[in-house]
Amino acid sequence: RTTSSQSGPSMEEASTKRKVTHTLTSGYSDHVRVPNVIVMVGLPARGKTYISKKLCRYLNWAGIKTRVFNVGEYRRKEETACDAIHGANAYFFSADNEEALRVREESARRAMEDLCEYLDTSKGTVAILDATNTTKKRRKMVINFCQEKGFRCFFIESLCDDPNIINANVTDVKVNSPDYKGVMSAEQAKDDFMKRIENYAKQYEPLDMDKECHLSFIKVINAGRSFYVNRVNGHAQSRVIYYLMNIHLLPRVIYFTRHGESGYNRMARMGGDSPLTSDGDAYAEALELFFKEERVQDLRVWCSQKIRAVQTAKGLKGVAAHVEYWKALDELDAGICEGLTYEDIENRYPKQTEDRRRDKYHYRFPAGESYEDVVARLEPVMMELERQVYLSLSLSLHISSNLLQGNVLVVSHQAVLRCILAYFTDRALDELPYIDVPLHTLIKLVPRAYSCHLIFYTYDATRGIWSAREGTLN
Ligand SMILES: O=c1[nH]cnc2c1c(-c1ccc(Cl)cc1)cn2-c1ccccc1
C-alpha cells in the first residue's frame, strides 16, 4: 500500500500497480522503498547536472542507492558511434533539424532503457534522469513510462534568470564539456552554447502550476534562492527537498583534522577519553600557528566533546570567530571494546573480530555503534555544513561579499572523518571504513562544480615542520 501525503491519491499514485514491499535494510532505516524516478527539468546551464550529481552523492551516502542517467552522455556515445561531432554545433539542437532530433530521441530512449533496468532489477531505489525535459510532450512520455513500470515520478525544475549564475555555469562547466574540448576555443564554445540555450528556449514549457498541478515537483529558483514545492510523496522525496533547501552554489573551504595524538593512541587502545600526549600538544600549537598564517576570515571551529579534541582546538580561540562543541562529532562508540587494545579485542572477542572484518560498515559493536549509525547521526552536521555558507550567501546578497567566507574547521576523530570525507568524495560505503585519515594531518577541501579538490598538510612533531601535498584520499 502506498500512502500519499496530500488529500486523495494523486494520478500516478492511483495507477501504481507495483506492490510495495517493505525491504528491511540493516534495521536502521526500514523505510518503504518504492522505486523513484527524479526527472530534471530546465534549460541548459541551469545546474541540472550539478543538482543530479550532488543529490546522487547525498542519497548514496545516506544509504539510498541512486544513479544518474545523463542523456547528453548517451547522445555523445551515439555521436562517437556515427563518428559525428554534432554537440559542437548549436544548430544540432534546433527543432527543425530532423536528423538531430532522431539522434536525440534515440539517446533518450537508451537512457530510459538503462534507467528501467537499474530500477527493475532493484540495483537501485532512485534513478535521476538528467536531461532538459523542457516540453510537456516529453514530460508526458516520461510519466507514461513510469506509470507502466510502477515507478514514482518526481520533477525538479531549475529556473534561473540570474546572468551571473548562468555565466558561472557556462564558464566553469560548459566550455570544458566534451562537446567542445579540442574542437573550438573557449570564446567560440561559450558563444555556441548561448545559441544552444536559445534553441531550447524557443520550445521551453516550464512546469505548469495549473495544468501539471497533479504532478509531484519542486521548482528551484536562482540556485536555491527560492523554491516552489507541489505534492511531496514519501520518504525519498522529502529527503530530496530537505537537501535541496540546504545546498548552495558557493565554493567555500572546509578543513578537517583528527585530534592530536592522545594517550590511548600511543597505547593502541580504542576510544576512551584520554588527554593529548606531548606530541599531541605540539600539534595543537602548530595548528594555531597554521591558521594564524592562513588568515582565514570568519573561521568557525566545530569540535567533538572528547577531551583530546577540545585540547586540540584550545589554541584556536584566538584565530577563530567561533568555536562550538558537537556531540555528533564524537568518535564511533566501541561499546564493550572501549579502552581495549586491538590485540585484546582479537583475543577476547574472536567472533566479533571476524564479523567486523566481513562487513566493517554495518558491523555494530555490542553496546556501541556501527559506521552506519555514525553516518545517520552526522546528517545534521552535513546539513549545517552546507547551510552554513548558504545563510551567508543570502546575507551577502544584501550586505557585502566578504561574508561569503563561511569557512569551517572540523576537529574530530578517525571514524567520523571517514564518514564525512566519504560524503564529499562520493566514496562507496563498503570502502568508507578503510579511508586513510592519519594523525597530525590537516585536510583542506575546496568544493568544485562536480568534484572537490583536496590538500593534505602533514605536521612532523619531532622536526616541527608542515609538508603539503595535493591529491586524493587513500
Ligand atoms: O540554478 C543554477 N543555475 C545555473 N547554474 C547553477 C545552478 C545551480 C544550483 C541549482 C539549484 C541549487 Cl538548490 C543549487 C545550485 C548550480 N549551478 C552551477 C553553477 C556553476 C557550475 C555548476 C553548476
Side-chain angles (χ1 to χ4, degrees):
R1 202 175 64 73
T2 53
T3 53
S4 53
S5 52
Q6 74 285 353
S7 57
S10 58
M11 202 174 76
E12 79 269 23
E13 283 289 348
S15 62
T16 300
K17 298 185 195 65
R18 169 183 293 270
K19 183 179 169 337
V20 169
T21 53
H22 278 266
T23 46
L24 283 177
T25 49
S26 58
Y28 195 86
S29 55
D30 54 352
H31 297 289
V32 168
R33 292 264 188 267
V34 176
N36 272 265
V37 178
I38 294 179
V39 186
M40 301 306 298
V41 177
L43 288 175
R46 264 66 186 169
K48 296 188 295 302
T49 299
Y50 174 86
I51 297 170
S52 303
K53 287 174 177 276
K54 203 165 165 136
L55 196 47
C56 184
R57 181 160 55 80
Y58 164 68
L59 290 172
N60 278 311
W61 181 76
I64 298 174
K65 283 196 176 55
T66 304
R67 199 162 101 188
V68 179
F69 296 84
N70 177 299
V71 176
E73 284 163 16
Y74 281 81
R75 175 196 30 94
R76 277 186 281 276
K77 259 188 261 174
E78 195 76 11
E79 286 167 0
T80 327
C82 58
D83 197 17
I85 44 161
H86 297 305
N89 165 359
Y91 173 63
F92 176 73
F93 297 93
S94 68
D96 53 19
N97 178 338
E98 290 305 314
E99 144 71 3
L101 273 175
R102 191 196 59 71
V103 169
R104 285 159 53 209
E105 288 302 322
E106 177 57 15
S107 354
R109 196 189 58 72
R110 294 238 176 120
M112 297 300 280
E113 229 168 53
D114 289 355
L115 175 152
C116 183
E117 199 263 340
Y118 176 73
L119 292 178
D120 259 353
T121 55
S122 302
K123 282 195 195 94
T125 310
V126 177
I128 303 177
L129 181 62
D130 179 9
T132 49
N133 295 313
T134 38
T135 63
K136 282 185 187 150
K137 181 170 164 277
R138 160 68 64 196
R139 292 195 289 266
K140 194 81 196 87
M141 263 175 58
V142 174
I143 291 164
N144 292 341
F145 171 84
C146 291
Q147 272 174 12
E148 262 163 55
K149 294 285 172 183
F151 299 157
R152 214 182 247 158
C153 226
F154 179 62
F155 293 86
I156 300 179
E157 180 172 27
S158 180
L159 291 150
C160 182
D161 56 11
D162 179 333
N164 300 327
I165 298 178
I166 295 172
N167 259 321
N169 185 309
V170 177
T171 320
D172 282 5
V173 174
K174 297 310 172 202
V175 291
N176 303 318
S177 128
D179 281 343
Y180 298 111
K181 206 101 187 98
V183 178
M184 55 174 80
S185 74
E187 261 321 291
Q188 288 168 314
K190 190 161 175 174
D191 194 41
D192 183 82
F193 201 80
M194 296 319 261
K195 286 203 191 78
R196 184 190 302 194
I197 297 177
E198 274 317 301
N199 284 327
Y200 275 99
K202 288 174 200 145
Q203 322 279 322
Y204 183 23
E205 295 170 300
L207 273 168
D208 188 324
M209 307 238 221
D210 304 322
K211 297 200 188 72
E212 294 178 279
C213 66
H214 54 284
L215 301 180
S216 297
F217 64 80
I218 179 170
K219 283 178 181 266
V220 185
I221 295 135
N222 283 325
R225 209 169 292 156
S226 48
F227 299 85
Y228 175 87
V229 186
N230 192 60
R231 284 181 182 265
V232 178
N233 259 330
H235 173 77
Q237 288 181 18
S238 41
R239 294 285 286 263
V240 165
I241 296 201
Y242 175 49
Y243 185 67
L244 287 178
M245 300 189 111
N246 287 292
I247 63 176
H248 59 87
L249 193 52
L250 209 85
R252 80 274 176 242
V253 174
I254 311 180
Y255 297 88
F256 300 97
T257 184
R258 286 172 67 185
H259 51 80
E261 185 197 53
S262 71
Y264 265 28
N265 288 140
R266 187 155 295 178
M267 295 185 279
R269 289 186 179 283
M270 281 191 94
D273 196 8
S274 61
L276 295 181
T277 61
S278 53
D279 275 3
D281 282 329
Y283 179 66
E285 281 156 33
L287 211 52
E288 180 184 350
L289 269 181
F290 180 94
F291 280 102
K292 274 199 172 99
E293 276 145 35
E294 186 85 348
R295 303 185 58 69
V296 175
Q297 299 173 19
D298 184 25
L299 178 72
R300 314 169 87 80
V301 178
W302 295 359
C303 188
S304 89
Q305 296 180 350
K306 295 291 183 187
I307 292 169
R308 54 194 187 277
V310 173
Q311 288 179 322
T312 304
K314 193 167 70 266
L316 296 168
K317 288 193 177 66
V319 291
H322 186 84
V323 183
E324 51 190 291
Y325 303 92
W326 295 62
K327 181 135 192 52
L329 288 172
D330 279 4
E331 181 56 305
L332 181 150
D333 182 348
I336 60 170
C337 297
E338 280 281 316
L340 300 184
T341 65
Y342 297 92
E343 204 181 331
D344 292 343
I345 295 169
E346 273 177 35
N347 299 335
R348 270 192 231 176
Y349 305 108
K351 170 116 179 38
Q352 297 292 336
T353 306
E354 180 49 26
D355 289 352
R356 186 158 199 248
R357 194 195 55 71
R358 238 202 303 277
D359 181 356
K360 197 174 177 187
Y361 180 74
H362 292 102
Y363 170 78
R364 179 177 295 136
F365 282 101
E369 290 179 298
S370 65
Y371 272 97
E372 188 180 43
D373 296 334
V374 174
V375 163
R377 68 162 148 101
L378 279 172
E379 198 191 15
V381 179
M382 309 315 291
M383 285 307 160
E384 195 49 34
L385 265 183
E386 299 278 5
R387 187 181 13 241
Q388 190 61 38
V389 179
Y390 179 72
L391 278 183
S392 59
L393 174 67
S394 50
L395 272 174
S396 72
L397 293 180
H398 309 298
I399 304 178
S400 70
S401 63
N402 75 355
L403 271 177
L404 294 185
Q405 303 303 323
N407 296 302
V408 178
L409 163 66
V410 176
V411 182
S412 185
H413 305 267
Q414 180 170 251
V416 173
L417 291 185
R418 282 172 169 163
C419 297
I420 297 178
L421 290 167
Y423 164 76
F424 283 106
T425 58
D426 198 14
R427 202 59 174 270
L429 295 180
D430 59 354
E431 294 173 10
L432 179 156
Y434 301 96
I435 293 175
D436 183 23
V437 187
L439 281 172
H440 298 176
T441 300
L442 177 68
I443 300 171
K444 181 175 181 179
L445 186 144
V446 185
R448 294 259 166 81
Y450 299 153
S451 63
C452 58
H453 179 59
L454 294 172
I455 304 163
F456 299 81
Y457 299 92
T458 307
Y459 181 69
D460 175 333
T462 38
R463 291 162 44 210
I465 51 162
W466 288 97
S467 54
R469 76 167 176 85
E470 297 191 305
T472 54
L473 284 169
N474 304 322

